[in-house]
Amino acid sequence: MFDLPARSFWRGTPDLDLSVLFHGHRAANPLGPAAGPQTQMAQNIALAWLAGARILELKTVQIDDRLTIPRPCIDAQNVVYNVEWSQELRLEESLREYVKGSMLVDVLRQAGALGSGSPPGWDDTVFDMSVGYDLEGIRSPQIRAWIDAMKDARAHVDALRREIPPELSRYRDLGFRTAISDQVTLSTFHGCPAGEIEAISRYLLDELGLHVTVKLNPTLLGRETVDGLLHDVLGYTDIGTRPEDFERDLQWAQALDMVDRLSEAARARGRTFAVKLTNTLVVRNHRSFFPAGQEVMYLSGQPLHVLTLHLLQRFRKARPQLPISFSAGVDSRNFPDCVALGLVPVTVCSDLLRPGGYARLPRYLSRLEEKMRTLGVSELRDFVAKAEGRGEEAVCATVEAGTLRETLLSALAAEPTDLEAALERTGRGDLYPGLVTTAARLNTPAIVERATADPRYRAAANRETPRKIGSHLRLFDCINCDKCVPACPNDANFVYEAEPLSGDFASYRVEDGRAVAAATERFEVRERHQIAVFQDFCNDCGNCDTFCPEDGGPYLEKPRFFGTLEGWQRWRDRDGFFVAGGADGVRVWARLRGREYALEVDRQSGRGVFTDGALRLEIDHPRRLVLGAEVLPGASPGHVLDASAYAAIALAVDGVLDPSLANPVNSSLSEQEPA
Ligand code: SF4
Ligand code: SF4
């Protein structure tokens, strides 16, 4: 589904309860994609959900929805850098994508897409909005209307309901979720004054009635600590920070005061408040990956994991009760430790950009499940209590010496462990959350120390770049490794099958008002297995190029299909195709090496017409044969039409339209001819 193999779907585990509460809402597990490239489009949401994510942080929206972002914008060669930030869609388009994503999840649940036998609540899912970046923008009527529509999406759900195609009409009356989200994570610019962060948070709490998480920057650690960890401990001596980014950002003392006031304000309004650790770290752009003139870039991945753990430790010492959401270099190996730290949610971005993409998520959960089984726990909070062997200490810190403490210590040692049941039997179920919070705090120093000493976070272990083999991609045929398909966060790249073809195709030249066959050109496609790109899903992030062993970039070199004729016409500097038609025939608008062509094929007769506006070829389409050529009015003498262009277009279009492999083109082929 959306190119994610069924073996990578997460189906829950009947004997283990991984559920958590995030702002009071139950999610079947704490894992999710962070607000970013994996949460912009509806198919991103469905993909993450199928692979096990149950807390989805939707990509940040802001008032300026006509951003020009440098391309490429993601450098995931080893340590991950980016220069992208908020949504690249208009506000109304983002809303539509998020509501569609939520509805897709509901359809997948109802359709039993993940099979039967899953435990109750295995599909409970939380959507977390993210807004940026300043008070004026967030208070604007447009952003307010956007948030209101996410809180009550009935009108949008009903509109989309009507778009469900006839063959899926059984889902039109589904009880779709209409309150998509009542919680928001605030993202602010580097340098946003403390007073403004607090004012925005109060607006979101007081006037919009939302639960609020504030995303904080790693600069809170101070430049000396950040540089010490980056350079001296981890060995990333090439990464340079700038003093001004630390001076302008929120300071530690300000952060603590603000957190205290906002926690209290949230409590007073029956809402909850949390912080998210962390945003990316702004660093000097010392590489040549991003377009020239890009002075800074934003660091994530392995080094950020260690930095953020140190910031977490600082918070844990200063404000042990503060709920913390975590996103920084999370991967399947450190995910169980993040859970043992009591962090909710634990979200991921960089790791999903690597080969495998969303299919990397199930491993996060299976590693956690393995550890839970080893410890003899079936519930996530009991896992926190036992993960680092500090459970006894947590019990003793929570409960005075006496019978209750003894009962709890016995329950802790028992397998399966069930601390909550033991507390409830004694009428003290109220102590359980505090006990777990204490255990999470006690777990922190050992986990931070372990990660800091772990060689895998160090520069020496993160220098390799994906291997290139020295060949350049072409329209057809490549080494067929398929890395570009899951590496695309938007599922824009897809596989199709083409009929291999080898033949000589003539060029036709206008001479004395007639079409004359000139030189022939060899055209050869050797492989059935081919790659194409759905342009409407591609945002030119460049990630598929990073992992493709050949040069050129799949998103630039492979056949590019547009979802609308208007899109094909707008992107005049891009080669590509738009296809319309139905059972009777197809029409293709094509641009190859900058030249425009049209192809019409009648499915019944197999006859086709191929033209570049000056010459017109009669085609036997199934046999790829040119039957005749004629000159159209206005053609210039000497004009040449190369019939191998027809062969290339025919091969790509026929392959992509083959319904045996679903893709965004053949599943949405317009029956309506565009005007
Ligand atoms: S385009 Fe590149 S990444 Fe994609 S299958 Fe071909 S060689 Fe592999
Ligand atoms: S096709 Fe490539 S460039 Fe386009 S969105 Fe996907 S990964 Fe990014």
Side-chain angles (χ1 to χ4, degrees):
M1 205 173 293
F2 293 113
D3 294 307
L4 182 74
R7 65 175 180 277
S8 298
F9 294 176
W10 183 70
R11 297 180 160 85
T13 311
D15 60 332
L16 297 179
D17 177 4
L18 309 187
S19 68
V20 290
L21 291 178
F22 182 35
H23 287 308
H25 299 298
R26 185 183 188 277
N29 68 53
L31 178 62
Q38 286 92 7
T39 53
Q40 175 156 235
M41 309 280 285
Q43 72 271 21
N44 302 144
I45 293 166
L47 275 159
W49 188 84
L50 284 164
R54 291 296 180 267
I55 298 180
L56 296 117
E57 295 179 348
L58 302 168
K59 191 162 187 179
T60 307
V61 299
Q62 60 145 337
I63 184 68
D64 179 6
D65 60 0
R66 285 157 205 248
L67 286 177
T68 306
I69 291 175
R71 308 291 179 186
C73 57
I74 299 174
D75 172 2
Q77 295 177 92
N78 36 47
V79 171
V80 179
Y81 300 96
N82 75 76
V83 289
E84 56 125 49
W85 33 318
S86 63
Q87 93 278 15
E88 296 144 89
L89 305 173
R90 300 282 155 79
L91 279 167
E92 64 273 17
E93 291 169 334
S94 289
L95 179 63
R96 191 177 149 87
E97 289 302 314
Y98 299 162
V99 177
K100 271 198 297 188
S102 164
M103 291 176 74
L104 265 174
V105 166
D106 285 338
V107 168
L108 293 168
R109 293 157 94 154
Q110 176 69 21
L114 305 188
S116 56
S118 301
W122 65 277
D123 51 358
D124 284 352
T125 306
V126 172
F127 292 94
D128 188 62
M129 295 180 275
S130 174
V131 296
Y133 286 94
D134 58 14
L135 184 58
E136 191 187 343
I138 291 171
R139 289 178 72 110
S140 66
Q142 296 94 315
I143 293 288
R144 178 161 194 154
W146 191 93
I147 292 174
D148 285 344
M150 286 290 285
K151 286 164 72 181
D152 178 358
R154 274 176 295 183
H156 292 83
V157 167
D158 286 340
L160 286 163
R161 228 186 251 286
R162 292 193 286 276
E163 290 186 32
I164 294 176
E167 63 271 28
L168 297 172
S169 59
R170 61 190 177 283
Y171 298 119
R172 280 197 190 135
D173 295 328
L174 210 63
F176 288 110
R177 175 200 292 244
T178 53
I180 309 289
S181 181
D182 67 355
Q183 56 180 71
V184 67
T185 296
L186 169 63
S187 191
T188 54
F189 287 122
H190 280 281
C192 184
E196 178 144 359
I197 300 173
E198 187 163 345
I200 301 170
S201 304
R202 284 185 180 273
Y203 168 75
L204 296 169
L205 282 165
D206 295 346
E207 294 193 37
L208 301 190
L210 298 165
H211 304 285
V212 173
T213 305
V214 172
K215 182 153 68 170
L216 297 173
N217 289 329
T219 48
L220 269 179
L221 275 173
R223 189 164 183 233
E224 203 178 317
T225 306
V226 167
D227 283 357
L229 284 167
L230 267 182
H231 301 155
D232 307 336
V233 177
L234 300 173
Y236 294 96
T237 47
D238 55 333
I239 298 179
T241 58
R242 305 185 308 175
E244 61 266 37
D245 295 316
F246 290 80
E247 287 154 14
R248 285 182 305 148
D249 261 2
L250 188 70
Q251 303 297 307
W252 178 245
Q254 291 175 318
L256 289 186
D257 289 348
M258 183 187 80
V259 158
D260 291 342
R261 287 191 295 268
L262 289 174
S263 300
E264 187 46 45
R267 232 186 328 272
R269 278 154 198 83
R271 294 287 175 266
T272 48
F273 175 79
V275 297
K276 178 175 175 181
L277 304 179
T278 60
N279 205 346
T280 47
L281 176 70
V282 56
V283 298
R284 291 181 205 280
N285 180 6
H286 65 282
R287 294 196 182 191
S288 55
F289 189 93
F290 298 123
Q294 191 65 38
E295 198 183 322
V296 294
M297 55 187 180
Y298 301 93
L299 168 104
S300 54
Q302 288 86 342
L304 189 66
H305 185 73
V306 176
L307 292 175
T308 302
L309 282 180
H310 280 262
L311 185 56
L312 168 77
Q313 177 150 268
R314 215 171 164 193
F315 265 107
R316 279 279 155 84
K317 279 188 191 146
R319 297 293 181 272
Q321 307 295 327
L322 184 67
I324 295 176
S325 145
F326 189 89
S327 182
V330 174
D331 60 25
S332 67
R333 289 169 66 185
N334 59 34
F335 176 68
D337 278 352
C338 295
V339 174
L341 287 164
L343 304 165
V344 177
V346 178
T347 61
V348 55
C349 176
S350 301
D351 191 48
L352 301 187
L353 295 166
R354 300 188 174 114
Y358 297 91
R360 299 171 77 88
L361 283 176
R363 189 77 188 109
Y364 289 57
L365 295 162
S366 62
R367 278 184 188 258
L368 173 62
E369 289 164 352
E370 282 160 25
K371 296 214 170 206
M372 288 174 72
R373 289 211 164 82
T374 308
L375 289 171
V377 299
S378 60
E379 217 261 8
L380 212 61
R381 286 179 295 179
D382 288 341
F383 172 72
V384 176
K386 290 185 83 171
E388 291 293 315
R390 308 295 294 269
E392 278 187 34
E393 216 177 317
V395 167
C396 295
T398 311
V399 182
E400 286 179 5
T403 320
L404 180 56
R405 184 189 278 184
E406 294 311 315
T407 307
L408 280 179
L409 291 176
S410 307
L412 190 69
E415 288 197 14
T417 303
D418 194 342
L419 288 169
E420 188 172 28
L423 278 163
E424 275 172 359
R425 273 197 301 276
T426 57
R428 294 308 313 269
D430 59 303
L431 293 175
Y432 192 40
L435 193 160
V436 177
T437 304
T438 303
R441 177 174 56 79
L442 293 170
N443 292 345
T444 306
I447 293 175
V448 175
E449 195 179 319
R450 212 159 54 225
T452 310
D454 191 335
R456 80 189 190 92
Y457 296 111
R458 307 217 159 163
N462 293 289
R463 286 212 180 96
E464 299 263 306
T465 54
R467 199 168 68 92
K468 293 280 183 191
I469 58 175
S471 53
H472 202 283
L473 288 174
R474 299 178 305 141
L475 200 60
F476 299 100
D477 293 341
C478 57
I479 63 163
N480 278 341
C481 65
D482 284 358
K483 282 184 182 163
C484 55
V485 177
C488 174
N490 300 315
D491 192 29
N493 293 323
F494 62 91
V495 166
Y496 71 99
E497 291 204 336
E499 277 303 322
L501 176 65
S502 176
D504 294 322
F505 286 83
S507 296
Y508 294 86
R509 196 170 57 237
V510 178
E511 269 184 34
D512 300 328
R514 290 182 305 116
V516 177
T520 59
E521 181 134 332
R522 190 80 189 153
F523 178 82
E524 186 171 53
V525 172
R526 297 185 310 273
E527 309 284 346
R528 292 187 72 80
H529 190 96
Q530 300 289 345
I531 301 290
V533 191
F534 188 54
Q535 171 66 35
D536 296 29
F537 285 177
C538 172
N539 62 357
D540 288 0
C541 72
N543 199 47
C544 56
D545 186 18
T546 295
F547 292 102
C548 176
E550 300 201 46
D551 295 321
Y555 72 115
L556 296 172
E557 298 293 339
K558 291 297 174 188
R560 182 182 298 112
F561 285 80
F562 290 81
T564 62
L565 181 58
E566 189 263 325
W568 180 83
Q569 286 165 335
R570 187 157 27 93
W571 291 74
R572 291 221 172 266
D573 60 337
R574 287 264 166 120
D575 281 2
F577 311 96
F578 171 70
V579 187
D584 294 342
V586 289
R587 285 191 72 187
V588 183
W589 287 253
R591 201 159 33 239
L592 270 187
R593 291 188 283 277
R595 290 185 64 172
E596 295 191 354
Y597 306 92
L599 171 67
E600 275 184 58
V601 177
D602 180 290
R603 283 199 203 268
Q604 298 301 318
S605 66
R607 289 301 169 94
V609 173
F610 181 68
T611 179
D612 63 354
L615 280 156
R616 180 177 185 277
L617 306 183
E618 287 286 327
I619 305 282
D620 178 341
H621 188 64
R623 295 168 64 205
R624 315 285 191 224
L625 264 186
V626 178
L627 303 175
E630 66 170 312
V631 177
L632 296 174
S636 309
H639 176 88
V640 174
L641 171 59
D642 178 357
S644 68
Y646 156 71
I649 294 165
L651 225 72
V653 169
D654 285 356
V656 165
L657 291 189
D658 178 352
S660 57
L661 280 176
N663 61 56
V665 185
N666 65 17
S667 55
S668 62
L669 184 64
S670 170
E671 291 279 345
Q672 301 293 320
E673 290 257 334

